[in-house]
Amino acid sequence: MSIQGIGKLGGYLYYIVGDATTWFVFISGYLFYYLEANNFKYGAYLMKKVKYVILPYLILSIPVIFFWLSASQNVLYGLTPLNFMLWSLIAGGIAVGPMWFIPMIALFFTFTPAFRFLARTKAIYIVTLTFLIFSMFSSRSIYNANAFLSFLHFFGFYMLGIVAAKDAAVLERLKTETKKKIIFISILAFIFFGYFFPGMASMPNSFFNGLGLLNYILVGKLFLLIAIFFIFEQYYNRENKSLGYLARISFGLFFAHGFMAAIFAKVLKSINYIDPIVTLFAEIGVVIFVSIGIVVLVKKVLKKWSRYVIGC
C-alpha cells in the first residue's frame, strides 16, 4: 500500500483503514445467520459457496500461478512446480495477495453447522467474547499464508456478526439515548487507541510473534465497527440503489481489486518518484474505480455466467 510511504500521517491512516478484513468477516457471519440459520441445508449451502466463491477463486488464480511458474517463482521458494501450485491454492495469497481471504473464509463455510449449533446456546456469548479478546492480542500470519491461523485471528469477528444478527431485535429495541452513548463511547475509544498506536513499524511480523501483544488496529476496528453498526442501523430496512448495487458486486470487486493492486504496484516501480500523497490517491482511483469498471464490463459480457468467474 502506498499509504506506507507517507510517514507518521500514513501510520494514522493505516490505523483507520488497515485490517478492514475484520468488517468483511463480521458481515459474513451476520449474513450467514440472517440468510441461512432458519432454513439451513449444509450440502446446498456448501455447493453454493463452491460455485460462486471457490470456482471463481480457481479460475482467477490458476492462470496467475502458471505465470509465476513460467517465471520460475517456485525455485525461489525451493518448491517443485506441483508443490508451488498446491501451496499457492491452499495459502491463497501467494499468486495474488488479497486471495488469501478465500481459503480462510472457506474454513468458516466448512464449520457453519457448529456455528448454527452454538447460536442456539448461551455459550455463543462466551465463545465470541473469548475469541474477540484473542483477536485483540494476536496478529496475522506471515504474508497471510496460513489460512488456519487467519481463521483463528478473525474468528471472534465472525461470531460477533452471528450474535449481531441473532440478537438484532434486542439491539433494535435499545433506547435511542443508549445507542447514542454506545456510539459516542465507541468513537472515543477508537480515537484513544489511535492516539497511542505506535505505528506500522511496531507491528509483529507473524502470528506467533504477535501473541499476547495488544493489536491496536484490531481494537480500533472493533470500536469503529460498533459505532458504524449503530449509526447505520436506522437505514438497514431502507433501499439504496447505489449501495445495493455495490453490495451485489462486492465479491467481484474483491477479486478484481487484487489484480489492480498488483498492476498498480508493478507500474509504480517503473516510475522514479511520485509524491506519496499523489500516489495514494492514484492507488485509490486505480484500484477502486477501475475495479468497478472491470466488474461492470465482465458482467455485461458474461451475463449470468459472470457469477462463476468473478462471484457476482
Side-chain angles (χ1 to χ4, degrees):
M1 292 177 66
S2 55
I3 199 173
Q4 297 176 5
I6 306 179
K8 191 172 183 179
L9 174 60
Y12 287 122
L13 289 174
Y14 187 72
Y15 172 77
I16 295 171
V17 302
D19 248 336
T21 302
T22 53
W23 296 351
F24 291 106
V25 174
F26 170 84
I27 291 170
S28 295
Y30 189 98
L31 290 177
F32 162 69
Y33 189 88
Y34 182 78
L35 298 174
E36 304 285 350
N38 295 324
N39 189 29
F40 183 68
K41 295 180 180 178
Y42 187 49
Y45 175 81
L46 283 185
M47 183 57 64
K48 184 170 63 176
K49 297 305 181 183
V50 167
K51 288 193 298 183
Y52 303 136
V53 178
I54 305 302
L55 182 58
Y57 169 68
L58 294 175
I59 289 174
L60 295 172
S61 296
I62 289 176
V64 182
I65 293 172
F66 276 113
F67 168 79
W68 285 122
L69 285 174
S70 69
S72 300
Q73 188 76 2
N74 60 300
V75 177
L76 180 65
Y77 294 103
L79 297 173
T80 64
L82 178 59
N83 286 341
F84 178 79
M85 175 174 282
L86 292 174
W87 179 50
S88 297
L89 291 175
I90 292 171
I94 307 303
V96 181
M99 292 288 198
W100 68 268
F101 183 83
I102 303 302
M104 179 195 71
I105 205 66
L107 289 176
F108 284 105
F109 298 156
T110 304
F111 290 108
T112 44
F115 303 148
R116 187 165 176 258
F117 171 79
L118 265 178
R120 296 173 179 171
T121 71
K122 292 184 178 180
I124 190 172
Y125 301 108
I126 298 173
V127 171
T128 300
L129 179 60
T130 300
F131 275 93
L132 277 176
I133 293 172
F134 179 82
S135 293
M136 301 304 106
F137 290 91
S138 65
S139 298
R140 292 170 177 249
S141 59
I142 299 175
Y143 301 120
N144 302 303
N146 189 310
F148 180 71
L149 295 183
S150 297
F151 172 81
L152 291 178
H153 180 55
F154 291 105
F155 185 79
F157 283 87
Y158 189 89
M159 298 307 297
L160 183 63
I162 292 177
V163 169
K166 175 179 179 293
D167 294 337
V170 176
L171 296 174
E172 188 176 351
R173 286 197 299 269
L174 290 175
K175 294 180 180 179
T176 302
E177 287 303 313
T178 301
K179 293 178 182 178
K180 288 181 179 179
K181 288 178 182 178
I182 293 173
I183 293 170
F184 179 72
I185 292 171
S186 297
I187 291 175
L188 275 185
F190 173 72
I191 294 172
F192 174 82
F193 284 100
Y195 178 80
F196 288 101
F197 175 52
M200 292 179 285
S202 68
M203 296 177 63
N205 59 2
S206 73
F207 176 85
F208 293 104
N209 286 344
L211 284 178
L213 300 178
L214 181 63
N215 188 324
Y216 288 84
I217 292 180
L218 262 291
V219 175
K221 284 297 172 295
L222 175 61
F223 283 112
L224 190 57
L225 171 63
I226 293 170
I228 291 174
F229 180 87
F230 283 105
I231 288 172
F232 287 97
E233 182 190 35
Q234 58 185 310
Y235 301 107
Y236 291 163
N237 295 322
R238 299 183 188 181
E239 183 179 2
N240 184 301
K241 292 184 179 180
S242 298
L243 292 178
Y245 181 74
L246 288 176
R248 288 193 294 274
I249 67 171
S250 59
F251 237 113
L253 292 178
F254 163 77
F255 284 120
H257 99 280
F259 288 93
M260 294 313 305
I263 292 171
F264 181 85
K266 188 74 173 177
V267 172
L268 193 63
K269 285 182 179 179
S270 64
I271 302 174
N272 290 329
Y273 175 79
I274 300 180
D275 183 83
I277 299 293
V278 175
T279 302
L280 174 61
F281 281 103
E283 183 177 21
I284 293 172
V286 170
V287 174
I288 295 179
F289 295 106
V290 176
S291 294
I292 292 174
I294 289 173
V295 171
V296 171
L297 179 62
V298 171
K299 284 180 65 64
K300 185 168 291 189
V301 172
L302 297 181
K303 297 183 173 22
K304 65 178 182 179
W305 299 103
S306 66
R307 291 196 71 184
Y308 299 98
V309 179
I310 59 171
C312 67

